[in-house]
Amino acid sequence: MDGSGSWDAIDWNQIEDPRPRRSGQAVKESMDDFLLEDEEVLAQGHGVVLLNNREAGTLSVTNFRLLFVSQAKKCVIELGTIPLMTIEKLNDDVKLQPLPHLSDKNRPRELLQVIGKDMRIIVFAFVPKTKQKNEVFDALRRYTKPANLWDLYAFSCDPSSIKNDSEPKRRLLREYFRLFRRSFEEVSLCNEWWRLTRVNSSYSLCSTYPSELIVPRSISDEDLFQASTFRSGKRLPVISWCDPGSGAVLARSSQPMVGLMMNFRNNADEKLVCALSSRTTDEKGSPRKLYIIDARPRANALANGAKGGGSESSSNYPRSEVLFLGIQNIHTMRDSLSRLRDYVDAHGSISSNGSPSAVSVVGDRRNRGSTWGGGNLNSMTSFSSTLGEWLNHIQNILVGASWIAAQISEEAASVLVHCSDGWDRTTQLVALACLLLDPYYRTFSGFQALVEKDWLAFGHPFAERMGVPTVAENGGSQYELLRQPSLGNLSSSPSRNTLGSSGPSSNSSVQSQTSNNSSPILLQWLDCISQLLRLYPSAFQFSSKFLVDFMDCVLSCRFGNFLCNSEREREQSGVTNSCRCMWSYLANLRASGGNFHEHYNPFYDPIKHNGALLPPAAALAPTLWPQFYLRWTCPIESQGGDLESQWQAMNKKYADAMKAKDIAEWRAKDIKLKLESMKQNLQREKRASSTALATAQSAQRENAAIKKAIESIGCTIKFSTSEDKDRTEVLSCSLRRGADGRAQQDENGDFSVSISAIEDSLVSDAPGDHFCESLCPFRTREGCRWPDAPCAQLGSQFVGLKANFDAFDRLSIQDCYFGPE
């Protein structure tokens, strides 16, 4: 797609001018709220418009993704945000289709088109006459094609923070024990038919196979080495799945090296293949039928024979039958998906050309409103051809895997599957057949075990198919691994040359090779599972949304699980201990939402489908997977007619209601606790009030006694509390001498007396405080005995008063105030 299209002129005056920026540091700090852990901004453009939805915002190139943040909403726009490794192609020469109403000077020129491996085509418009587009484009060209494996974002995390539950090899071994229905604690693994061998522990038997293999018990390790020389890439026939009940097996390999005339043979290979069809478990013990499935078209298999490869002859393998499925190679699949992506983008409700197809550009009023093709019948026919081509590939894989599962389940036959190299079409068929045969693989844990076994351990070249760097055989790093072929190996990949071959290659040639080897092999397999999910909605624990998120995680290269091309390469690069695990990430996502998370299939019924799924051929008519292919261009239509999506929407509302209920119950409980606390505080206040009342009554009695004692010396008492002296009561009175010689009260008297009653704790121990006691003639050894004994300074006795004698010394008190003795 050349990116041609048309749209109205963009009003750049309504967009924030990016040029008056003081420093890049301030800009990067403003993006911290949108960055992931260990994510760094490398280049930025401001006032950029995403033409798909005409959203203006900030476009940032980080070490992980192309990040687009809305200028108005201040949030990440998902459509304009794509991981760098998910980007398949960049185009900075986007041509516009001129329209009469659009003047040439108003037409935006600074355009950048980004094509993704996830069916996304997005176009960004930059502010004219700035260098922003060049800065963003240069950063994208550099970081979307990293030179080394360790330049990927997956290696940017701190290795000490990696917490992997177990090694992939240990998980594979656990799956082997499950297939044998044996306890994982047993030392050896074998039964009457098969055994587990560790002959490939150093990868000397086959560098792209796992270190542990299941093989027929009658075959020795020496036979395995001899048989491997007869298969492309030494990928000899080994068992991928077995049924301990019937003895049937599902095996996989690469093509045999029979040559053009099909006259080359290998005794060890024939012995190994025949051992796969062990005798049945019935009373007669009759020989088991063996089907050899060649996934390629017959013509392609014959063409490979001219280069040393080919297919088996049933005459060389007793009780066998050879069948061809006609599945096309990786290049055909890549081109088919590219055509489908272009058409979906051009005729979706959200298009990269800025104009939805729901309105015809030509102006034919009779055909307006047609979603597909913009009302053009020829366009509709073109879409049918494009869609039919892709769905035909999906149907071929579905039919082939269903047929394989039916032979193993109903006939107890053994099946050997291969294509050319044994890691693309073979993996698709074997993994899908396992999913149909074994209900365990239709759960979350089983899906992980299946992917780790047939896709990762058996060497599907993820690095080549996704166009990312990997490690070389010697431990170094290069953009494309050059694998060590076996003698006479026929490789479908132009990069499969012998290690150490002379002649350096340029960057352009390396990237060209990577582009030629990329293919949506994993996507096709997930598409097939989505078709089965549509046919059997209660057979799978996971939902279609889980498959979409799983594919996005693989394409993003954010995790280390799907890096490199084989188990051996992942060990060499140390991705297990250096990168985060995708399975843990997905498990944490599900745990965050509980059983209502969108990854769970709400219709899952393990009891209803506890056996093999054997769909009839008439039901294997696939439809376009809307959740994946239409999510960017037709977001509403991609979810509208799906029962699972409707249930998820209802489930979300229910979850929100339950959350509100929990919040209300928590608040009610909190209010109840507060009421209990207030009740306890009230009881404590009540007890404190009673204590204070008793103290006040006691003080009142004491004050009455003091008042009575002072009145006995002819004084009137007035109590007041000093504001500046805590815990001190001041007793003050005014006295005036009357005509009759008696003391009379008068507010303007001759003098006033202030008596302070101070607590014992405030009385100082200074010697001056005991002055009266040292001069008192009535003092005894026991100390002052007043008021039980006379006082030298006071001619009377009164109870309960501690007088401030210094105050009395400063007063001129006449004897007549106390009266004659």
Side-chain angles (χ1 to χ4, degrees), residues 195-493:
R195 68 183 179 93
L196 180 71
T197 177
R198 294 179 172 83
V199 68
N200 198 38
S201 58
S202 60
Y203 305 102
S204 58
L205 178 66
C206 178
S207 62
T208 59
Y209 266 5
S211 59
E212 296 168 317
L213 304 169
I214 298 178
V215 296
R217 187 172 184 177
S218 60
I219 302 300
S220 65
D221 291 345
E222 181 62 30
D223 293 333
L224 296 178
F225 275 100
Q226 293 180 7
S228 66
T229 61
F230 189 65
R231 294 283 170 168
S232 173
K234 296 186 177 181
R235 295 176 65 88
L236 71 161
V238 294
I239 297 172
S240 176
W241 185 85
C242 51
D243 184 0
S246 65
V249 300
L250 176 58
R252 58 182 298 169
S253 70
S254 61
Q255 64 179 344
M257 311 304 295
V258 295
L260 178 61
M261 305 303 296
M262 299 181 63
N263 56 349
F264 293 109
R265 300 177 61 177
N266 184 287
N267 292 333
D269 180 80
E270 295 176 5
K271 179 181 177 181
L272 173 59
V273 173
C274 291
L276 297 175
S277 57
S278 59
R279 293 188 175 274
T280 59
T281 57
D282 55 16
E283 297 179 357
K284 298 180 180 180
S286 57
R288 191 185 307 275
K289 183 67 177 290
L290 172 66
Y291 292 98
I292 301 177
I293 305 299
D294 194 327
R296 303 166 293 180
R298 183 187 295 270
N300 292 17
L302 295 177
N304 276 271
K307 300 178 181 180
S311 189
E312 294 87 350
S313 173
S314 58
S315 60
N316 297 331
Y317 301 89
R319 300 181 303 278
S320 66
E321 182 178 352
V322 181
L323 296 96
F324 295 88
L325 297 183
I327 302 175
Q328 298 297 328
N329 58 26
I330 61 173
H331 312 293
T332 302
M333 302 302 184
R334 180 183 63 249
D335 296 339
S336 178
L337 179 64
S338 178
R339 287 188 290 269
L340 178 63
R341 176 178 55 203
D342 291 344
Y343 196 93
V344 169
D345 172 73
H347 300 280
S349 59
I350 299 177
S351 176
S352 62
N353 61 16
S355 59
S357 66
V359 178
S360 176
V361 179
V362 178
D364 187 355
R365 296 179 181 274
R366 295 172 300 174
N367 294 325
R368 289 191 179 186
S370 175
T371 303
W372 291 104
N376 190 328
L377 183 59
N378 293 331
S379 184
M380 290 288 290
T381 305
S382 175
F383 168 71
S384 299
S385 176
T386 302
L387 177 62
E389 178 188 14
W390 176 257
L391 293 182
N392 185 58
H393 298 318
I394 301 299
Q395 186 177 31
N396 288 340
I397 300 172
L398 274 172
V399 170
S402 300
W403 189 90
I404 293 172
Q407 307 314 307
I408 296 176
S409 177
E410 295 181 346
E411 296 185 16
S414 292
V415 179
L416 170 63
V417 183
H418 71 75
C419 51
S420 295
D421 298 306
W423 50 48
D424 290 316
R425 289 165 284 192
T426 300
T427 301
Q428 289 177 329
L429 292 169
V430 171
L432 195 59
C434 288
L435 197 78
L436 292 169
L437 288 168
D438 198 333
Y440 171 70
Y441 293 135
R442 302 192 285 268
T443 65
F444 284 111
S445 57
F447 182 84
Q448 175 183 347
L450 178 63
V451 171
E452 290 191 316
K453 173 172 66 75
D454 280 303
W455 286 91
L456 293 171
F458 277 97
H460 175 70
F462 280 101
E464 292 186 15
R465 298 299 173 258
M466 294 190 299
V468 297
T470 184
V471 294
E473 294 282 342
N474 57 5
S477 176
Q478 58 187 40
Y479 199 87
E480 179 103 10
L481 175 70
L482 306 178
R483 297 193 178 190
Q484 176 68 47
S486 61
L487 294 176
N489 177 27
L490 172 68
S491 175
S492 63
S493 172

Side-chain angles (χ1 to χ4, degrees), residues 540-556:
F540 296 83
Q541 186 183 15
F542 44 83
S543 65
S544 181
K545 183 63 170 65
F546 168 77
L547 299 177
V548 173
D549 290 347
F550 170 78
M551 188 66 202
D552 285 343
C553 287
V554 175
L555 292 176
S556 69

